[in-house]
Amino acid sequence: MTIFNVFSLLGGLALFLFGMDIMGKALEKQAGGQLQKILSKLTDNPLKGFFLGLCVTAVIQSSSATTVMVVGFVNSGIMELHQAIGVIMGSNVGTTVTSWILSLSGLQGDSLLVQLLKPTSFSPVLAFIGILLYMCKSEKKKGVGTILIGFAVLMTGMTTMSNAVLPLQNEAWFTSLFTRFSNPLLGILAGLLFTSVIQSASAAVGILQALAVTGAITFEIALPIIMGIAIGAAVPVLLSALGANVSGKRTAFVYLLIDVLGVVIWATVFYIANAIAHFDFMTMTMTTVSIALMNTLFRLATVIVLAPLIGVLEKCVCLLIPENPESVREEQEMDRLEERFLLHPALAL
């Protein structure tokens, strides 16, 4: 790998992260107001909350952004904690949509349909349409143009990264480096730290997909990294809740708790089963599509196991983050004052 490949890799990574950032912000700006109204009117039905969380996250391409909105709603009293848990579970699955879009770069074949679906074919067209819309005076058209430009930049970055790392497929040191991550604990830690730094699970999975073109990413390497990415995605949510009240902090912590429990449960089950059965697919080379599939199945399996335990999760997080005695005392004092004024309206004059 030459110095030019390194520069291409860094440039591709910069384009990828920048494209994802501007596309996500533009999507959130275009749809944010309506999505917030929908979320704030959420009923007590956890299934409805799940699908709302899934759809909102699929639209704005960020589970962190969805959960930060939910933290704000719970913090202001618009939404209850048990309602928020269903939305958070949905956002965990909805965030995998990005990896499916990115998997288009790994499509193989010479047919016209496959060629048209490849980002190298449609990204330049989207960029051209996007810049025309961006130059319009209408703010709505500018917003749509920004989304298209962001998507084109993101896909260009993805392609640049893939092309830059392609020569590494013949490098023994690169293969041996990733072999270390077949250790579940190291893989989970690597995924967690990397996602904590770039603060985007979608971007972290996308970079893993770009590295998959080298053929160095096997099933046993990808699984623990994806598990670590799931936990690392909670970092921006936890940071957003630093100034929130107890309810807001509990909501942010539920996001982390769901991901940690998902990793603990499925890592334990899978690696015990592998120790007994010795799965043949552990050394299977991963593609962009198989990484997207693994990411979706892992998060969906976590939701299926934990969805019936929403009440238990709520109790756990309430025990872990108890009410502040000072704030409880203030609320009780306010309740007594309100009751007193209701019984004796003249006192309020």
Side-chain angles (χ1 to χ4, degrees):
M1 188 177 188
T2 66
I3 189 69
F4 298 108
N5 291 107
V6 174
F7 288 156
S8 294
L9 176 60
L10 294 175
L13 179 59
L15 289 172
F16 179 78
L17 294 175
F18 179 67
M20 182 161 283
D21 184 60
I22 61 173
M23 184 185 73
K25 286 178 179 175
L27 281 165
E28 192 175 350
K29 186 179 178 181
Q30 287 293 305
Q34 292 301 317
L35 294 176
Q36 286 183 8
K37 287 179 184 177
I38 294 169
L39 282 171
S40 63
K41 292 178 181 178
L42 187 67
T43 65
D44 287 336
N45 187 332
L47 187 61
K48 188 175 180 180
F50 169 80
F51 283 111
L52 274 172
L54 191 156
C55 294
V56 168
T57 306
V59 169
I60 64 175
Q61 299 282 296
S62 173
S63 59
S64 299
T66 304
T67 308
V68 167
M69 274 196 285
V70 171
V71 169
F73 289 139
V74 177
N75 190 60
S76 59
I78 296 173
M79 189 183 290
E80 297 293 329
L81 179 58
H82 65 272
Q83 292 176 300
I85 295 173
V87 180
I88 290 168
M89 287 181 171
S91 73
N92 263 339
V93 178
T95 193
T96 65
V97 170
T98 309
S99 61
W100 283 105
I101 295 171
L102 295 175
S103 68
L104 294 174
S105 62
L107 289 176
Q108 301 294 327
D110 298 321
S111 68
L112 179 61
L113 179 61
V114 170
Q115 293 303 316
L116 288 173
L117 286 173
K118 285 189 174 183
T120 48
S121 301
F122 63 78
S123 289
V125 178
L126 291 181
F128 181 73
I129 296 170
I131 199 66
L132 291 178
L133 291 172
Y134 186 78
M135 293 170 70
C136 296
K137 291 183 178 180
S138 167
E139 286 298 319
K140 190 170 184 180
K141 288 181 180 178
K142 274 183 179 287
V144 175
T146 305
I147 293 167
L148 294 178
I149 292 168
F151 183 78
V153 171
L154 180 153
M155 283 301 188
T156 302
M158 181 77 174
T159 305
T160 305
M161 281 194 297
S162 298
N163 292 337
V165 297
L166 200 57
L168 290 173
Q169 60 187 337
N170 300 318
E171 300 285 346
W173 66 268
F174 182 77
T175 308
S176 64
L177 173 66
F178 272 94
T179 304
R180 298 173 190 271
F181 297 137
S182 59
N183 180 312
L185 292 177
L186 283 178
I188 290 170
L189 185 61
L192 192 161
L193 291 175
F194 186 67
T195 311
S196 299
V197 171
I198 64 173
Q199 299 211 2
S200 172
S202 298
V205 174
I207 291 167
L208 185 65
Q209 287 176 296
L211 291 171
V213 300
T214 63
I217 309 297
T218 59
F219 186 97
E220 63 179 345
I221 293 169
L223 180 60
I225 291 176
I226 282 177
M227 286 180 172
I229 288 171
I231 298 175
V235 172
V237 179
L238 293 171
L239 291 174
S240 73
L242 287 176
N245 59 25
V246 173
S247 296
K249 285 184 172 68
R250 285 172 176 172
T251 307
F253 194 77
V254 161
Y255 188 90
L256 175 64
L257 187 63
I258 289 169
D259 290 328
V260 170
L261 286 175
V263 169
V264 170
I265 291 167
W266 290 116
T268 304
V269 170
F270 180 81
Y271 287 108
I272 287 175
N274 181 52
I276 297 168
H278 302 290
F279 299 132
D280 294 331
F281 56 78
M282 294 295 282
T283 55
M284 178 185 75
T285 302
M286 300 295 283
T287 63
T288 54
V289 175
S290 59
I291 286 175
L293 181 60
M294 176 189 283
N295 188 33
T296 301
L297 289 178
F298 166 66
R299 290 174 180 268
L300 192 58
T302 299
V303 169
I304 290 170
V305 169
L306 296 180
L309 305 173
I310 287 178
V312 177
L313 290 171
E314 185 178 10
K315 288 177 182 176
C316 285
V317 81
C318 288
L319 287 172
L320 291 167
I321 305 177
E323 286 281 1
N324 187 340
E326 196 68 33
S327 63
V328 172
R329 206 178 301 115
E330 286 177 7
E331 284 182 17
Q332 290 174 344
E333 193 65 36
M334 286 298 295
D335 289 340
R336 280 197 293 270
L337 283 171
E338 286 177 11
E339 188 178 345
R340 188 180 174 190
F341 284 134
L342 286 171
L343 291 172
H344 306 285
L347 292 173
L349 299 175

